[in-house]
Amino acid sequence: METGDAAPLTRYVLKDGDSFLVANSLGDISAPSEGFFVHDTRIVSRYELLLGDLEPALLSSAVTQDNVLFVAHLTNRALSAIDEMGAPEGLIHIARSRFLCRERMFERITCMNYGDRTTRVPLRFRLAADFADMFEVRGSRRDARGRLLGPESDEWGYAFRYEGLDGVARASSVVFSRPPSPVAPGEVEIVVMLEPGAVEELYTEIGVIREGRPARARYRDEASLARRNMRRRQRRGARVASGGPLFDQWMRRSRSDLALLTSELDTGPYPYAGIPWFSTPFGRDAVITALQTLWLDPGLAKGVLTFLAKHQAKEESPFLDAAPGKIMHETRKGEMSALKELPFGLYYGGVDTTPLFIALAGAYLKRTGDTDTVQTLWPALLAAVQWIERVCDADPNGLLVYARASERGLANQGWKDSGDAVFHADGRLAEGPIALVEVQGYAHAALRTMAELGERWDPRAAAHWTRRADELRATIEERFWMPEHAYYGLALDGAGELCAVRTSNAGHLLYVGLPPTERAMAVAQQLMSPAFFTGWGVRTVARGESRFNPISYHNGSVWPHDSAVCASGMARQGIRGAATKLLRGAFEAAVHFDMRIPELFCGFARTQGAPPVAYPVACLPQAWAAGSAFMLLQACLGVEIDGANRTIHVHRPELPPGIQDVVVHDLAVGDQRVDLVFRSSGTRVAAFIDGDADGAVSLLVRN
């Protein structure tokens, strides 16, 4: 097959519920990492459109702003000789429009003849389904696989079937609105005869098998349903608008990406982590995404808390890294997980998710005043804090540590979970059990939250949790502070030796409000120094430290959610200008990434006129990367909402550079909804409430 294109094709993604599709800019599924996936299984692994033997030429491709529709515009290369009813290059326009709905892809292929003679257009399709588990696609090798049955063809297309080793029969199909003719195994052709100026449409569907066959009415009905579902998700929560068109585009794209990644589960809305590798419920990612968006959409936090409480561990399992009270890290539905070839069917190997779960519950109650939900969660919160206390009691230093219980699990169980992410100043990898500095901050926040909640539900235990929080704080200050660096170390290893490395992890201590003012200021100063701040965001590891590498996954790259957490922490310490600077860097990076910030990008210093350097296999979109835009904006505006008392607190607000006003539309405050307006007024930013004629919501502004 001739391609004629030397440059690699961009990948585009669509998602609906537990299905997602990764295809190239032509609309083809052809590369090893592409496919149509349902429940962590690739049910279609090849779906290519050719014009005869030739790949069409790409004109343009994009996903619509609402993330519902992928559209590619193509044209023909020279087909066959003119006297055989062919066409010179560029006379046939082909538009591919597709969307996902109910675990199926619907596509319309429109052909238009701009030539002056009737043209024969051979639409050829190459089709296959390998039913590979997501982890196989990612590179895992299996000793044995199930039985892949031969494709079944009929008048309208192909059906593919696979009998898994887990006893599950999986099936998919590719069907057409016109009967195709077989050309070769897995290859069919539909010939369209186009008169001059004529337009013809072909409808195709791929995915789980359903009754009926493709048609215009079916395409339109399903498209209408897909758009309604997306609009419903996008209407949730408050909306941000400003006088800056590009800034508004970033806000809208981030909101659309969160809507795309959010699935409606029986427990409520839940943001899946990212596409392609992490389109499934993760614990830590969802909690942080919920914290990022809590001020705008508390309903997402409620859905996350309810789901995680439902799946809280009840018993010990070394293979799953589970223990009573622990909150899950990840859940999968594929064959390999079902067979326990990997532990990720319902896996608990994350040390930080449990304290973050408690912290989110406390933040949710403050934001909404919803005591009924938190009271329902109270047994899960008690079990979670009891797990934290058991782990801390077993550690000689009284810290929340991790050490994987199974060789099949994750070696590192903080958010930087790659194998080389925890190391000493001389480059040695740390050996467990490991106590990460930011995890101790989360544990402190969890204990403090339980003390606050305990004042309502268990006053006697509240004093106990307050004491434990104070003790943990003292231990952190004693064991992790590095006076010679005026900074906190990364971790304590199993021997109690400090990993004396400067990393962004320390910025998370500012987020939970743990360090005293002098130390917080010292950390903030370094985070904004050239060693950390690239001009686009905060590096995960400071330049000059051992193992620093700007193109690594966790040891010198920039993670937007990490930068946003650091920015929020610095804002809480009163360093609002740093948050504004980080927001500006993130926004300007977003402009280079087509307004969709990836999971991470390389940690090279910003140079004039050059864009940020992409990380080649970053998830895009990714939930906590999209959510970082809203956390950064909140940090700049200094907004905190007290739902129970229907009060908005605004502290020393700053607007993004070049933006004169920001309006947060339809902001829920208790049982009221208002518009919160920020407007530049000389050297200050004024804040006021619009749409509250009865004065039911209070606004307290401190400058």
Side-chain angles (χ1 to χ4, degrees), residues 528-547:
M528 298 308 296
S529 73
F532 275 107
F533 182 53
T534 66
W536 307 112
V538 175
R539 294 186 180 102
T540 49
V541 172
R543 188 177 60 197
E545 298 288 347
S546 64
R547 292 188 175 270

Side-chain angles (χ1 to χ4, degrees), residues 646-650 676-678 686-689 697-701:
R646 294 192 300 195
T647 301
I648 302 173
H649 297 269
V650 174
L676 180 60
V677 181
F678 296 86
F688 59 91
I689 291 174
V697 176
S698 299
L699 175 63
L700 301 179
V701 181

Side-chain angles (χ1 to χ4, degrees), residues 302-471:
K302 182 178 179 179
V304 169
L305 289 166
T306 306
F307 178 90
L308 294 178
K310 180 178 179 179
H311 294 87
Q312 188 174 33
K314 301 294 192 297
E315 57 188 13
E316 296 277 349
S317 171
F319 180 70
L320 301 177
D321 253 317
K326 205 171 180 186
I327 299 298
M328 61 151 254
H329 169 70
E330 176 181 2
T331 181
R332 295 283 186 173
K333 297 179 180 177
E335 181 184 8
M336 294 178 70
S337 297
L339 292 169
K340 294 185 167 47
E341 296 176 27
L342 296 167
F344 303 119
L346 188 55
Y347 180 59
Y348 293 87
V351 69
D352 49 3
T353 311
T354 307
L356 284 170
F357 168 77
I358 296 174
L360 176 61
Y364 172 79
L365 180 61
K366 289 179 182 177
R367 169 65 179 84
T368 63
D370 181 4
T371 55
D372 290 344
T373 294
V374 178
Q375 187 168 19
T376 301
L377 293 168
W378 185 246
L381 295 169
L382 281 176
V385 77
Q386 287 163 5
W387 174 79
I388 292 172
E389 291 187 82
R390 285 197 304 273
V391 175
C392 290
D393 288 343
D395 180 67
N397 299 303
L399 298 172
L400 184 57
V401 300
Y402 69 86
R404 66 177 171 184
S406 165
E407 288 300 314
R408 303 303 299 273
L410 295 172
N412 283 319
Q413 297 187 358
W415 84 261
K416 297 177 181 177
D417 55 7
S418 50
D420 62 349
V422 185
F423 55 94
H424 288 279
D426 59 6
R428 286 178 294 125
L429 294 181
E431 296 184 5
I434 291 170
L436 290 166
V437 64
E438 82 278 10
V439 172
Q440 311 320 306
Y442 301 155
H444 172 264
L447 290 165
R448 194 176 63 210
T449 296
M450 289 301 293
E452 294 170 356
L453 298 178
E455 295 293 341
R456 180 188 299 267
W457 284 293
D458 193 346
R460 183 176 299 179
H464 163 75
W465 289 319
T466 297
R467 183 176 67 256
R468 290 212 66 151
D470 291 342
E471 291 170 353

